[in-house]
Amino acid sequence: GSFLMPTLDSAIADGTTVRYVTGTESAQSIALGAVADLVPLPAADDASTAPTRAWALHHLGDELTIDTMSRHAGMSPRTFIRRFRAETGQPPGTWVRERRLDHARELLERHDLSVDAIAARAGFGTAANLRHHLRRELGLSPTGYRSVFQAS
């Protein structure tokens, strides 16, 4: 099986990251110099998910997975989820969905974009997905929400 083994290089000296080699035969992997991507060490105890949350707000239309956000934060997925919950009181998926709904609502209120365009910009992908989440949270379709809340 594959395993991780730290190697000594300049990354260790700065104390922020460690290089790992992977392979089924460690001696062969080391001899061949097969080095995986840099793997971030677990975040320091005082690390926050706040910078990643701010970044995510500007990337709501992108795929925001635990792996993507934890990598942005420089934390393992497990540490990221734990810190995120401690800081926000919510799991990351719930927080992202709520921010996407907020963004979709703002777009519905302020712009005459199609529901498909709003769904894409807010990160829901399809109008059907946006419809599902708006109905579940607010009991309204995107068109119904727009007719009630859009500024005249």
Side-chain angles (χ1 to χ4, degrees), residues 97 101 124 129-138:
R97 186 177 59 250
L101 271 172
F124 287 108
N129 200 20
L130 173 57
R131 241 182 254 102
H132 166 77
H133 288 287
L134 265 179
R135 279 195 194 281
R136 192 177 80 194
E137 296 296 319
L138 304 172

Side-chain angles (χ1 to χ4, degrees), residues 19 47 76 82-83 126 134:
R19 262 189 204 277
S76 72
R82 188 178 69 248
R83 295 245 169 94
T126 66
L134 265 179

Side-chain angles (χ1 to χ4, degrees), residues 71-138:
R71 198 171 22 256
H72 182 273
M75 299 177 193
S76 72
R78 185 175 179 184
T79 297
F80 178 76
I81 291 168
R82 188 178 69 248
R83 295 245 169 94
F84 198 101
R85 277 182 172 252
E87 292 173 20
T88 67
Q90 299 178 300
T94 300
W95 184 89
V96 167
R97 186 177 59 250
E98 288 181 1
R99 300 300 79 74
R100 285 177 168 163
L101 271 172
D102 291 345
H103 187 51
R105 290 170 55 194
E106 179 182 335
L107 291 171
L108 286 165
E109 291 170 17
R110 297 182 182 189
H111 301 281
D112 288 326
L113 297 167
S114 71
V115 174
D116 285 317
I118 290 172
R121 285 189 184 187
F124 287 108
T126 66
N129 200 20
L130 173 57
R131 241 182 254 102
H132 166 77
H133 288 287
L134 265 179
R135 279 195 194 281
R136 192 177 80 194
E137 296 296 319
L138 304 172

Side-chain angles (χ1 to χ4, degrees), residues 57-79:
L57 289 174
H58 296 285
H59 292 87
L60 291 172
D62 299 340
E63 186 176 5
L64 294 174
T65 64
I66 295 296
D67 285 342
T68 302
M69 292 189 297
S70 65
R71 198 171 22 256
H72 182 273
M75 299 177 193
S76 72
R78 185 175 179 184
T79 297

